Amino acid sequence: KQEVTQIPAALSVPEGENLVLNCSFTDSAIYNLQWFRQDPGKGLTSLLLIQSSQREQTSGRLNASLDKSSGRSTLYIAASQPGDSATYLCAVNLSNTGKLIFGQGTTLQVKP
Amino acid sequence: DVKVTQSSRYLVKRTGEKVFLECVQDMDHENMFWYRQDPGLGLRLIYFSYDVKMKEKGDIPEGYSVSREKKERFSLILESASTNQTSMYLCASSPQLGAREQYFGPGTRLTVT
């Protein structure tokens, strides 16, 4: 059974730091992996989608990498800002059905 | 931009009531999903649908049913609400082919008293 783990559960950094969020999964047979952002009490906003054949995706200050063989993905945030404070979730897609398996998330606080 | 809307942001219902949660997407997506999100348990899939009138059980379908009469609309039904169904409910949609990106609605915070 696929399990997705995100460590750490919470992270607090000063503004301007570069940081890395980690996501690991137990079954490497995935179609893709998606990173989301969730603000308190709100829905999920899609940040990046990495297909299984890709190694990384970039959007602005965000860079997500994927290593299927080791069952890991990282989300790199450059020059963090207080507005980046949120919970970040990763989810793996096991097949072309679109069913996602989510991690528990990492709650990020960026202090001014 | 893809837009997924949910009928209510907050809902309070009594135990035993029949509850309808509505989700509408405007991008002609084939796939639609209902999740619930609970502290410590994360997001869990309740039901999903590949097309009109088609539905598949997710990981926690007990106590729920769904309806998809039109492509853009996916309804989650709690036949007899119970207090353990108090949760945040999130709807999502995606194109069918190629396991594409999923887009989420703003969520409905349901409280059953």
Side-chain angles (χ1 to χ4, degrees):
Chain A
K1 181 182 176 183
Q2 178 74 268
E3 292 185 1
V4 181
T5 304
Q6 292 185 247
I7 294 173
L11 183 63
S12 181
V13 300
E15 182 177 4
E17 268 202 16
N18 303 323
L19 58 100
V20 174
L21 306 180
N22 297 295
C23 173
S24 61
F25 46 95
T26 53
D27 186 344
S28 62
I30 65 170
Y31 266 58
N32 56 44
L33 183 146
Q34 197 168 353
W35 282 94
F36 295 90
R37 168 187 172 136
Q38 187 177 31
D39 293 294
K42 303 287 180 64
L44 278 64
T45 300
S46 178
L47 297 174
L48 290 163
L49 173 72
I50 311 179
Q51 299 293 351
S52 60
S53 58
Q54 296 175 319
R55 297 283 292 181
E56 64 179 76
Q57 281 286 331
T58 298
S59 176
R61 294 184 293 110
L62 304 180
N63 176 278
S65 68
L66 175 63
D67 184 343
K68 272 182 53 177
S69 61
S70 66
R72 292 181 183 179
S73 176
T74 62
L75 179 67
Y76 174 83
I77 302 177
S80 59
Q81 303 170 356
D84 294 330
S85 298
T87 296
Y88 291 81
L89 294 152
C90 72
V92 298
N93 190 339
L94 301 181
S95 69
N96 62 1
T97 64
K99 289 176 62 176
L100 295 178
I101 307 296
F102 282 85
Q104 294 279 351
T106 295
T107 298
L108 171 67
Q109 182 184 30
V110 181
K111 297 181 178 179
Chain B
D1 282 349
V2 176
K3 192 166 185 180
V4 181
T5 57
Q6 295 182 230
S7 52
S8 304
R9 289 286 285 120
Y10 300 94
L11 208 53
V12 180
K13 295 292 182 180
R14 294 192 181 273
T15 301
E17 278 193 78
K18 190 170 186 176
V19 181
F20 293 86
L21 302 182
E22 305 284 341
C23 175
V24 177
Q25 51 93 5
D26 67 357
M27 283 302 292
D28 202 35
H29 286 170
E30 289 82 7
N31 295 347
M32 295 189 75
F33 307 84
W34 274 107
Y35 297 87
R36 64 177 283 178
Q37 184 178 29
D38 301 287
L41 297 175
L43 276 97
R44 294 176 292 168
L45 182 64
I46 305 171
Y47 266 98
F48 60 104
S49 169
Y50 296 133
D51 205 344
V52 175
K53 298 191 184 296
M54 295 183 67
K55 60 184 179 183
E56 295 283 342
K57 292 181 180 179
D59 300 318
I60 51 165
E62 296 79 18
Y64 304 94
S65 63
V66 290
S67 173
R68 192 158 180 208
E69 296 296 319
K70 293 185 178 182
K71 191 174 186 180
E72 67 271 18
R73 187 180 297 270
F74 192 34
S75 302
L76 180 69
I77 304 159
L78 287 65
E79 294 289 342
S80 179
S82 63
T83 55
N84 63 12
Q85 292 178 311
T86 291
S87 186
M88 172 70 116
Y89 289 87
L90 293 160
C91 174
S93 73
S94 70
Q96 187 169 56
L97 297 178
R100 303 280 299 278
E101 193 170 0
Q102 260 186 50
Y103 297 89
F104 280 76
T108 295
R109 172 73 64 183
L110 173 66
T111 302
V112 183
T113 61

